Amino acid sequence: MISYCPDVVYSNTINNCGQIVISKLLGRKTIVHVHEGRAAIERAKWKLKISDMFVDQYIVVSKYVQRVLSDYISSVNEVIYNGVKLDSISMLKRNNIDIINIGVIGTIHPIKGQLIAIKAIQHLAINF
């Protein structure tokens, strides 16, 4: 017997196909927040096609993810960007020094984007 059943089930990845189907079969609203890029979405395309029949709303982190995802599902409802405006973070204002130290936290894996971060920092160092 289920003693607790949420009104809304939120998934922060496209890889929770089974959980999405079960949630919908239990009559729950389902929201999938997609962070993955093209390679991960391509690998999960069969899961997307199945779970798309059960998802009430997709939220994506960028227009890029929205474009990629739209090749595989019926519709993306909303873009909610990840990130912050650097000028709004008071801790970055240090004695008028124009240096910002950046860290990337996460498992070291090609889909996590560490190489992209390194190349972006290199580009900024050369061009600015």
Side-chain angles (χ1 to χ4, degrees):
M1 179 174 169
I2 298 174
S3 60
Y4 171 77
C5 200
D7 295 320
V8 177
V9 174
Y10 167 85
S11 171
N12 69 344
T13 179
I14 57 175
N15 292 309
N16 289 337
C17 177
Q19 294 88 332
I20 297 297
V21 172
I22 291 169
S23 299
K24 198 60 177 180
L25 291 175
L26 291 173
R28 304 299 160 219
K29 297 287 185 186
T30 58
I31 299 171
V32 177
H33 195 172
V34 183
H35 305 263
E36 293 89 351
R38 182 172 297 283
I41 289 172
E42 176 63 29
R43 282 192 305 275
K45 65 183 172 187
W46 68 269
K47 291 179 185 178
L48 279 170
K49 295 204 182 282
I50 293 169
S51 62
D52 190 37
M53 295 183 283
F54 300 92
V55 172
D56 291 296
Q57 182 176 5
Y58 288 96
I59 299 170
V60 295
V61 297
S62 68
K63 293 284 188 185
Y64 162 76
V65 174
Q66 185 180 40
R67 282 192 312 273
V68 172
L69 194 59
S70 68
D71 291 340
Y72 299 94
I73 65 165
S74 56
S75 68
V76 175
N77 301 88
E78 191 169 356
V79 176
I80 299 176
Y81 295 98
N82 283 342
V84 295
K85 293 180 180 180
L86 292 179
D87 60 353
S88 69
I89 302 175
S90 61
M91 70 179 141
L92 292 177
K93 296 177 172 73
R94 299 177 293 168
N95 302 325
N96 297 324
I97 298 173
D98 291 331
I99 296 173
I100 297 175
N101 295 312
I102 299 173
V104 178
I105 299 172
T107 305
I108 297 176
H109 193 280
I111 67 169
K112 294 292 184 171
Q114 286 96 349
L115 184 57
I116 293 169
I118 291 168
K119 289 180 179 181
I121 292 167
Q122 179 184 22
H123 174 78
L124 290 170
I126 291 169
N127 295 297
F128 296 98

